[in-house]
């Protein structure tokens, strides 16, 4: 039976994968960890510094957002793929603790239990008085930020000298609402993509969320609750020095080739005519047209008052490439024009402005007074890079500030 005559495929396994979870082009050998920790809601791999056989100068690095259990072998390879971050830390006398979660789409508060346990165990096992470095990539920076702030309100000494985040969505991340809506349009109610988009972590992380039950677009209640809880905790940990890295540029330039209101991806044969558009400003703006043959349905997704998100300065995700590949595997033909779009805006990664206004989204962060950021020190990439990619520029900046 041809695709034209059959029900729309499930597109099994389709998820918007964080680069941290994607296979690298040039895999490296992952050494056996010196220790493995079982933690509440998670686990960790411990790699001692070169030539050392005990924990003395721990650096806890948290995994980010994706569906399912953390795969720390993939995380290790990602962190070694462009700039050898783990190896360089160990060469400089740091012990690296990779922190993973049983379910990466669980609520930030849930996975913060694993982060808290890792912090307390590192302090209990380390020799000497060196203070910890604690942080994470992508959503891992939010999990560790929450854990440290909560420990401080509980008056528990986390013994952390430096907190860092690497392209963390402090002010929110963006996945096109048309793409979110499509996850529920797939005629399998509990498909992986829908579970990911409707997960507690996604509802907390995304600046705007498409509600599958009401069809409304807005700030999810889970995000409102998280922001309220963070505010009660003081917003940020106050004891450590706060460092941040943005994968996007700081000069107000994002992806100029991604112009607003253009076709990003069009599909035929399966989900025929389904089209996703780059986000434009204005009222009643069409973000996507969704169509399927069986069960027959069509839907137009519109937005009101959004800024031009997809081409904004920020770390990019190959959102439409992932979707196009899944469509092709399902038997479709695709017209893919904009494979990569902004995922974590620069202003979010360095926590200077909220996302909602066009002038804020495209502000030249490099020209702003440093105290506009919630961070003590940060860097924006000199070029637009993939979300969380550890380039030599960004990796070296971070390493130099973590101390010897």
């Amino acid at each position: 039976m041809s695709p034209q005559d059959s029900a729309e495929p499930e597109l099994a396994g389709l998820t918007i994968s964080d680069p941290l979870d994607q296979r690298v082009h040039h895999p490296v050998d992952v050494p056996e960890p010196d220790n493995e920790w079982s933690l509440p809601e998670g686990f960790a791999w411990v790699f001692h510094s070169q030539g050392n056989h005990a924990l003395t100068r721990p650096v806890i690095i948290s995994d980010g957002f994706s569906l399912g259990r953390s795969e720390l072998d993939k995380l290790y390879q990602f962190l070694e793929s462009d700039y050898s971050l783990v190896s360089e830390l160990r060469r400089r006398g740091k012990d690296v603790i990779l922190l993973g979660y049983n379910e990466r789409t669980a609520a930030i508060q849930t996975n913060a239990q694993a982060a808290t346990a890792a912090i307390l165990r590192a302090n209990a096992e380390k020799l000497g008085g060196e203070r910890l470095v604690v942080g994470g990539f992508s959503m891992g920076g939010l999990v560790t930020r929450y854990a440290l702030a909560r420990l401080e309100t509980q008056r528990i000494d986390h013994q952390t000298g430096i907190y860092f985040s690497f392209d963390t969505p402090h002010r929110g991340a963006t996945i096109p609402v048309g793409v979110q809506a499509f996850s529920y349009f797939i005629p399998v109610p509990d498909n992986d993509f829908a579970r990911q988009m409707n997960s507690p972590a996604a509802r907390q992380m995304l600046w705007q969320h498409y509600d599958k039950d009401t069809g409304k677009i807005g700030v999810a209640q889970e995000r409102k609750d998280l922001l309220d809880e963070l505010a009660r905790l003081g917003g940020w940990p106050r004891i450590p020095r706060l460092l941040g890295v943005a994968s996007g540029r700081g000069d107000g330039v994002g992806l100029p080739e991604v112009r607003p209101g253009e076709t990003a991806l069009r599909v035929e044969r399966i989900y025929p005519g389904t089209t996703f558009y780059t986000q434009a400003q204005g009222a009643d703006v069409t973000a996507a047209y969704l169509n399927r043959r069986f069960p027959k349905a069509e839907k137009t997704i519109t937005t009101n008052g959004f800024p031009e998100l997809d081409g904004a300065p920020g770390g990019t995700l190959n959102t439409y490439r992932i979707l196009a590949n899944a469509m092709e595997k399902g038997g479709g033909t695709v017209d893919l024009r904009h494979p990569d779009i902004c995922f974590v805006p620069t202003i979010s990664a360095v926590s200077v402005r909220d996302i909602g206004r066009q002038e804020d989204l495209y502000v030249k962060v490099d020209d702003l007074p440093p105290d506009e950021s919630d961070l003590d020190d940060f860097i924006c990439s000199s070029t637009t890079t993939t979300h969380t990619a550890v380039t030599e520029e960004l990796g070296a900046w971070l390493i130099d500030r973590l101390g010897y």
Side-chain angles (χ1 to χ4, degrees):
M1 183 179 289
S2 70
Q4 292 93 327
D5 299 325
S6 62
E8 304 295 8
E10 177 185 347
L11 304 177
L14 169 62
T15 60
I16 302 297
S17 299
D18 194 302
L20 294 168
D21 197 42
Q22 297 178 16
R23 290 292 182 190
V24 297
H25 295 299
H26 304 290
V28 300
D29 291 330
V30 179
E32 287 294 319
D34 295 300
N35 203 348
E36 296 185 39
W37 295 347
S38 178
L39 306 167
E41 305 297 339
F43 57 101
W45 287 2
V46 180
F47 300 91
H48 294 146
S49 63
Q50 288 183 7
N52 203 357
H53 301 288
L55 203 63
T56 57
R57 305 175 70 198
V59 178
I60 297 175
I61 301 176
S62 170
D63 197 8
F65 171 78
S66 198
L67 186 66
R69 180 178 171 87
S70 290
E71 298 179 82
L72 294 184
D73 59 331
K74 288 184 180 180
L75 176 60
Y76 186 102
Q77 292 199 29
F78 180 85
L79 297 178
E80 290 282 287
S81 59
D82 293 321
Y83 178 86
S84 300
L85 183 68
V86 176
S87 296
E88 186 61 21
L89 283 168
R90 297 178 69 198
R91 187 186 71 80
R92 296 192 184 203
K94 298 288 191 180
D95 309 295
V96 175
I97 301 171
L98 299 184
L99 173 61
Y101 305 106
N102 296 337
E103 176 49 66
R104 285 169 289 179
T105 61
I108 286 169
Q109 297 93 324
T110 299
N111 284 337
Q113 296 179 45
T116 299
I119 291 165
L120 297 179
R121 183 161 179 175
N123 281 321
E125 293 192 9
K126 71 178 168 68
L127 304 178
E130 185 86 6
R131 297 180 72 77
L132 306 183
V133 174
V134 177
F137 284 68
S138 190
M139 182 167 274
L142 281 175
V143 173
T144 49
R145 169 185 161 188
Y146 176 91
L148 289 169
R150 190 166 187 270
L151 283 168
E152 289 182 6
T153 63
Q154 294 172 322
R155 299 185 182 278
I156 296 174
D157 185 6
H158 51 57
Q159 299 180 44
T160 300
I162 295 175
Y163 159 83
F164 76 91
S165 62
F166 205 112
D167 216 36
T168 290
H170 291 296
R171 304 289 184 102
T174 68
I175 292 176
V177 291
V179 174
Q180 295 181 50
F182 179 75
S183 72
Y184 311 117
F185 201 68
I186 298 170
V188 180
D190 198 31
N191 69 80
D192 286 347
F193 194 17
R195 289 195 298 116
Q196 184 190 32
M197 291 297 98
N198 200 43
S199 67
R203 296 173 72 91
Q204 289 179 320
M205 172 184 69
L206 293 174
W207 169 68
Q208 295 284 294
H209 185 264
Y210 178 89
D211 189 281
K212 71 181 182 67
D213 296 320
T214 65
K216 293 182 179 179
I217 299 166
V219 181
Q221 186 60 49
E222 291 85 347
R223 177 165 178 78
K224 294 177 183 177
D225 293 344
L226 173 67
L227 295 177
D228 288 345
E229 188 169 355
L230 275 171
R232 289 193 296 272
L233 297 176
W236 297 77
R238 297 302 179 188
I239 295 172
R241 181 168 174 77
L242 310 178
L243 303 179
V245 175
S247 297
R249 291 166 59 161
D251 60 0
V253 177
L255 297 165
E257 69 276 13
V258 181
R259 293 178 290 273
E262 292 187 339
T263 296
L265 171 65
R266 182 179 172 87
V267 186
E268 294 295 348
R269 300 190 77 216
I270 63 171
Y271 301 95
T274 290
T275 306
F276 302 90
Y277 300 94
T278 54
Q279 184 63 56
Q281 298 184 75
D284 199 29
V285 171
T286 298
Y289 167 73
L290 311 180
N291 184 48
R292 71 179 184 221
R293 298 157 302 174
F294 184 81
K296 179 62 180 173
E298 62 179 343
K299 182 178 292 186
T300 299
I301 309 300
T302 60
T303 61
N304 289 284
F306 276 37
E308 296 166 5
L309 296 163
D310 295 332
T316 63
L317 200 60
N318 55 348
T319 303
Y320 287 119
R321 171 71 67 189
I322 293 169
L323 193 52
N325 288 346
M327 293 289 194
E328 288 184 317
K329 288 178 182 177
T333 60
V334 302
D335 177 8
L336 175 62
R337 302 183 189 181
H338 296 297
D340 303 305
I341 54 174
C342 177
F343 176 53
V344 176
T346 298
I347 59 168
S348 178
V350 300
S351 195
V352 294
R353 302 276 177 90
D354 290 330
I355 294 174
R357 299 196 313 161
Q358 178 79 3
E359 55 267 38
D360 290 334
L361 188 60
Y362 285 80
V363 71
K364 295 181 179 180
V365 173
D366 293 340
D367 295 343
L368 297 177
D371 60 5
E372 280 206 32
S373 173
D374 294 310
L375 301 163
D376 295 315
D377 195 8
F378 65 82
I379 184 175
C380 301
S381 178
S382 61
T383 60
T384 298
T385 56
T386 301
H387 170 58
T388 66
V390 188
T391 63
E392 183 172 356
E393 174 193 27
L394 301 180
W397 182 92
L398 183 60
I399 286 276
D400 287 345
R401 282 154 182 79
L402 296 187
Y404 287 86

